[in-house]
Amino acid sequence: MDLPLIKIIKSGILSTIQAAHRLDFQDYGVPRAGFQDKISAQLANWLVGNKKFDSLIALGNFYRFEKNWTQALDAYASSLDIALAQDNQNIWEVFFNIGIVHERTDNWNEAERNFNAALSIYEDQPDVLNYLGYSYLDKDLDLNLAKDLIEKAMSLKPNDPYIIDSMAWYYFKVGRYEEAL
């Protein structure tokens, strides 16, 4: 299980984290064990006040990693408003992340709708293709479509371990065990 600070790092705000690493633990008046939670809270508060597309995506990701689904969706909705107002090319990322929240909360119809919205904007986005394909496999839905999506993702990002894992999962699901290895 990742520590909260690691989750924030994964959400893509490395420069903020790098600055946080330079801070002294005593500056926060907390023992070393509580430092990461304190930093996580402060960074989340900073992101809440920073109404920029990338910051709101990062905030949504932070809440998603914390399984705070409602706040994640709120942050993504705010980033969507900004993206629409600015004609942002990364709007697909908002739909993708909203889809992930819905998939994780067993709201498959909304998840699938958002994944497809992301692909309608950026049809060759390998992470979305893979996530949707893997989801179809995991739910035993259209295995042929799942394979097509994952193969397309693999052609775009051939060395990605998540995509390779998805292809292996497909082979396993259809009983082609040798190819799954």
Side-chain angles (χ1 to χ4, degrees):
M1 183 170 166
D2 286 338
L3 296 170
L5 190 61
I6 301 304
K7 293 175 185 175
I8 294 173
I9 291 170
K10 288 181 178 177
S11 74
I13 53 173
L14 293 176
S15 60
T16 304
I17 296 303
Q18 289 165 348
H21 279 299
R22 294 188 188 104
L23 300 173
D24 192 286
F25 288 102
Q26 284 100 15
D27 290 346
Y28 289 89
V30 294
R32 184 176 181 95
F35 180 71
Q36 281 142 347
D37 290 334
K38 181 85 169 179
I39 288 294
S40 295
Q42 288 186 356
L43 288 174
N45 286 336
W46 176 80
L47 288 169
V48 166
N50 191 356
K51 301 292 185 197
K52 295 181 182 171
F53 177 80
D54 291 338
S55 296
L56 289 165
I57 289 286
L59 181 62
N61 290 344
F62 171 76
Y63 287 134
R64 182 167 48 90
F65 288 129
E66 293 296 317
K67 295 183 171 135
N68 189 333
W69 310 119
T70 301
Q71 286 186 289
L73 288 173
D74 288 346
Y76 293 141
S78 295
S79 67
L80 183 60
D81 291 341
I82 291 171
L84 290 169
Q86 297 175 348
D87 195 27
N88 189 312
Q89 293 182 12
N90 290 328
I91 195 169
W92 67 268
E93 188 177 357
V94 179
F95 290 111
F96 179 44
N97 285 306
I98 291 171
I100 292 171
V101 170
H102 286 300
E103 185 268 334
R104 299 274 167 88
T105 57
D106 294 322
N107 187 355
W108 175 244
N109 290 336
E110 279 300 305
E112 185 179 34
R113 186 178 70 75
N114 278 279
F115 293 143
N116 284 319
L119 289 174
S120 73
I121 296 163
Y122 187 177
E123 68 184 38
D124 289 335
Q125 211 304 318
D127 297 321
V128 180
L129 291 163
N130 181 59
Y131 202 104
L132 182 56
Y134 186 91
S135 295
Y136 284 146
L137 290 175
D138 206 40
K139 296 177 181 318
D140 287 319
L141 296 173
D142 189 337
L143 299 185
N144 290 325
L145 177 58
K147 179 183 180 226
D148 292 344
L149 292 168
I150 296 165
E151 283 179 336
K152 184 173 182 181
M154 188 171 277
S155 74
L156 297 164
K157 208 172 173 182
N159 296 318
D160 185 284
Y162 294 108
I163 298 171
I164 293 167
D165 178 69
S166 295
M167 198 75 245
W169 183 234
Y170 165 78
Y171 288 132
F172 182 84
K173 294 281 277 190
V174 297
R176 294 165 59 181
Y177 303 115
E178 287 297 315
E179 292 171 87
L181 301 174

